[in-house]
Amino acid sequence: HSLRKGVANGGMAQFQEMMRQQLESSMHTELEKLLDTSTGAERDVSKKDFEGFNNLFHRFLQVKGPSVEWIKIQRPPEDSIQPYDKIAARGLPDNVANSLNKLVVVKLNGGLGTSMGCKGPKSLISVRNENTFLDLTVQQIEHLNKTYNTDVPLVLMNSFNTDEDTKKILQKYTHHRVKIHTFNQSRYPRINKESLLPVASNLNMNGQNTDGWYPPGHGDIYASFYNSGLLDQLIAQGKEYIFVSNIDNLGATVDLHILHHLVSQPNGKRCEFVMEVTDKTRADVKGGTLIQYEGKLRLLEIAQVPKAHVDEFKSVSKFKIFNTNNLWISLAAIKRLQEQKAMDLEIIVNPKTLDGGQNVIQLETAVGAAIKCFDNALGINVPRSRFLPVKTTSDLLLVMSNLYSLEAGSLTMSPKREFPTTPHVKLGSSFTKVQEYLTRFESIPDMLELDHLTVSGDVTFGKNVSLKGTVIIIANHGDRIDIPAGSMLENKIVSGNLRILDH
């Protein structure tokens, strides 16, 4: 009986292995066919992309069960997440310029503004005084370069979705004191969920094929940066660290204290990777967190958590911090790990349904997941102000308001606000698209003393409205509420139908 059982088990494993090899072989054949639909440079770029994709697909087929065993998760050791105040208390050296000249700022610029109803790259949405995310970034770095007489370059990681539009816009910065480089992240084929084969029929990006491709998440930065040749170029110029962040995080400015901490470590103890984390609030329960796992600091994302433990993961008491995706990474270490093929990032399987109803999967990776591959990695618990992402028009309302002042491309919380936390703002579906949102505010309300704002339905705001405490405005279906110019609403609920008509 036991012999038969052993053969059956062995047979099962053999069968699974055979199936895997067959799937890999079919995928390989299909990718070769796709490559044959093009020639020249496009073919060469795709061939390189497909090498990365093949590696990911191979690992995807190997995966058995969750990537972490819950029982092995430990809290990070005390010294592996340092408070920002401790880092800042060391002060700055006289020659800040020396440190800055070793730095490159990299912004993740692969995303479109579709979730906010905009066409084109998200980085080109106006966020404050007609300035886009990209304008503010350029202003920040230019200000650094002028203040310290340095040469900090800006690098944009574009995707095939954003590259063309971004490059057109870059011409307007030619006279700014910032060198700007771009490189493209990979273009991977979407996989049919049933057949596990590519849905595209050729390498083109038009017609039905448009849906066949996707940029594989920001974990792709390491391979793409290395393959582009830009990594070697920057190392040759004496650059040592990159500061990576999402272009829509307006709090992610260059921090001189963190930079000084990195470059002042003795060579053997050099920290190769810093992840900025910040304290969780109820709004951040889905954010990735740092854990100790098999002796290494590691990023744990909600997608990796077994269903039975999701509530525990979301608890603010057990996992107190989350990843802001502001990262400081050694260039030499990226080069070493790429050459040793030692970047082992967990695969995120992202299911999508295409417009025609076809179910596909995208294999993605996250940039922060690489923390376990680097030596002497460190978390730094930074103030919340370094995490100011603009994902929705509710976020946009905050950064456009008098809660923040804008100086040299950086937003800082107004000293007139009594508490350092931002108000909780929830705008309803009538405000989702930027264009519609803008027509609903004649001017942005005074929000200095606001704690909470909920707006639902067909609501418009006149000029110079002031909101304080908790304000809830709900226009029921078919009703409309116009908040009159000059109104002051403090701890008010407004509902029903309110229209002020000109006499």
Side-chain angles (χ1 to χ4, degrees):
H1 175 69
S2 60
L3 185 70
R4 221 174 35 232
K5 199 167 154 190
V7 170
N9 286 347
M12 191 60 191
Q14 263 178 329
F15 174 69
Q16 285 174 330
E17 186 51 40
M18 241 171 60
M19 285 298 291
R20 268 202 295 273
Q21 286 174 2
Q22 202 174 341
L23 279 167
E24 279 198 55
S25 163
S26 305
M27 175 62 83
H28 186 71
T29 308
E30 290 300 313
L31 294 179
E32 286 297 322
K33 278 190 205 162
L34 283 171
L35 286 175
D36 288 341
T37 64
S38 183
T39 52
E42 186 183 35
R43 184 195 155 96
D44 293 344
V45 170
S46 295
K47 197 174 166 85
K48 224 165 199 165
D49 285 353
F50 287 176
E51 281 170 24
F53 172 79
N54 266 324
N55 173 31
L56 210 53
F57 187 67
H58 171 76
R59 285 174 44 223
F60 163 69
L61 294 177
Q62 301 287 336
V63 169
K64 303 176 188 69
S67 55
V68 290
E69 289 179 51
W70 197 255
I71 196 119
K72 287 189 188 171
I73 289 178
Q74 294 172 305
R75 281 198 176 164
E78 280 300 299
D79 59 348
S80 65
I81 300 178
Q82 300 267 343
Y84 176 78
D85 293 349
K86 188 176 165 189
I87 303 273
R90 299 176 56 193
L92 290 172
D94 298 334
N95 55 354
V96 169
N98 281 1
S99 307
L100 278 170
N101 280 327
K102 294 173 180 170
L103 183 70
V104 177
V105 174
V106 180
K107 293 285 180 184
L108 303 171
N109 184 45
L112 293 168
T114 37
S115 62
M116 290 164 78
C118 294
K119 283 188 166 62
K122 186 170 182 184
S123 56
L124 306 184
I125 294 175
S126 286
V127 275
R128 181 86 186 214
N129 311 353
E130 304 298 306
N131 287 304
T132 65
F133 290 105
L134 191 52
D135 292 334
L136 294 178
T137 302
V138 171
Q139 286 167 28
Q140 285 164 22
I141 301 174
E142 184 174 41
H143 177 67
L144 268 182
N145 285 338
K146 283 180 173 170
T147 307
Y148 296 101
N149 192 23
T150 50
D151 181 23
V152 177
L154 169 64
V155 172
L156 300 171
M157 177 166 90
N158 298 337
S159 67
F160 60 82
N161 287 320
T162 61
D163 190 50
E164 206 177 314
D165 290 342
T166 301
K167 279 184 174 158
K168 278 183 200 154
I169 290 286
L170 290 182
Q171 292 165 1
K172 79 176 199 183
Y173 305 117
T174 38
H175 300 299
H176 288 252
R177 190 170 163 175
V178 183
K179 290 196 182 90
I180 303 178
H181 307 272
T182 65
F183 68 94
N184 261 1
Q185 69 178 114
S186 309
R187 171 169 80 122
Y188 282 5
R190 282 184 168 144
I191 307 169
N192 180 319
K193 199 177 174 183
E194 306 305 319
S195 67
L196 292 186
L197 292 174
V199 295
S201 54
N202 61 52
L203 285 181
N204 282 348
M205 285 291 301
N206 43 30
Q208 282 191 305
N209 264 325
T210 319
D211 275 349
W213 306 98
Y214 71 99
H218 41 54
D220 179 55
I221 183 171
Y222 304 107
S224 296
F225 196 17
Y226 177 78
N227 290 339
S228 71
L230 192 52
L231 179 77
D232 284 336
Q233 196 183 317
L234 292 165
I235 290 174
Q237 291 169 15
K239 305 297 181 192
E240 292 180 18
Y241 282 95
I242 52 173
F243 170 49
V244 183
S245 62
N246 298 349
I247 197 145
D248 65 6
N249 178 6
L250 294 176
T253 54
V254 171
D255 186 281
L256 298 175
H257 294 287
I258 296 177
L259 177 62
H260 174 54
H261 177 79
L262 285 172
V263 299
S264 63
Q265 301 293 314
N267 262 347
K269 286 267 191 272
R270 273 275 169 107
C271 167
E272 294 183 340
F273 195 108
V274 160
M275 176 181 285
E276 292 185 34
V277 295
T278 193
D279 292 342
K280 260 190 191 183
T281 66
R282 301 252 169 244
D284 315 305
V285 291
K286 289 183 178 173
T289 193
L290 281 179
I291 56 170
Q292 182 83 351
Y293 193 85
E294 296 178 340
K296 284 270 196 181
L297 205 53
R298 187 158 161 180
L299 177 66
L300 176 68
E301 300 273 13
I302 194 161
Q304 296 163 270
V305 177
K307 283 206 168 45
H309 296 282
V310 166
D311 286 344
E312 201 179 328
F313 174 81
K314 287 181 175 179
S315 106
V316 181
S317 55
K318 179 161 183 179
F319 299 106
K320 293 185 165 61
I321 48 132
F322 73 97
N323 167 28
T324 63
N325 224 33
N326 300 349
L327 309 166
W328 303 73
I329 313 172
S330 152
L331 286 164
I334 296 175
K335 183 177 165 73
R336 180 189 78 233
L337 290 166
Q338 276 303 122
E339 286 174 351
Q340 293 172 352
K341 300 199 170 1
M343 284 280 186
D344 166 34
L345 310 186
E346 286 80 20
I347 297 171
I348 301 160
V349 180
N350 188 354
K352 296 255 177 194
T353 304
L354 302 183
D355 287 345
Q358 189 177 27
N359 289 326
V360 296
I361 51 175
Q362 299 180 177
L363 303 180
E364 301 175 7
T365 55
V367 57
I371 188 167
K372 63 180 182 187
C373 308
F374 289 84
D375 293 340
N376 303 321
L378 181 68
I380 296 182
N381 192 341
V382 297
R384 179 70 184 205
S385 56
R386 291 192 56 73
F387 184 66
L388 188 58
V390 180
K391 303 286 182 200
T392 62
T393 49
S394 302
D395 300 331
L396 198 53
L397 182 63
L398 291 172
V399 299
M400 283 182 157
S401 75
N402 61 344
L403 285 163
Y404 293 96
S405 55
L406 178 65
E407 200 176 330
S410 298
L411 289 180
T412 41
M413 177 75 80
S414 164
K416 292 180 187 159
R417 181 157 174 90
E418 285 179 19
F419 5 82
T421 55
T422 46
H424 195 64
V425 172
K426 286 198 297 200
L427 300 178
S429 55
S430 312
F431 291 79
T432 305
K433 293 184 173 172
V434 174
Q435 288 322 109
E436 202 174 349
Y437 151 89
L438 291 170
T439 61
R440 292 184 174 276
F441 290 98
E442 273 192 58
S443 70
I444 303 294
D446 169 351
M447 291 163 49
L448 274 176
E449 294 176 47
L450 179 70
D451 301 324
H452 180 111
L453 172 68
T454 296
V455 182
S456 172
D458 185 0
V459 178
T460 60
F461 292 80
K463 271 195 168 63
N464 306 326
V465 171
S466 162
L467 305 170
K468 299 180 180 186
T470 296
V471 178
I472 298 170
I473 304 168
I474 296 173
N476 296 323
H477 187 65
D479 287 345
R480 177 169 149 189
I481 295 179
D482 295 325
I483 303 297
S487 309
M488 198 278 280
L489 299 177
E490 182 169 8
N491 297 326
K492 289 276 185 287
I493 297 178
V494 182
S495 65
N497 202 351
L498 174 68
R499 269 191 185 189
I500 309 290
L501 299 173
D502 286 337
H503 180 56

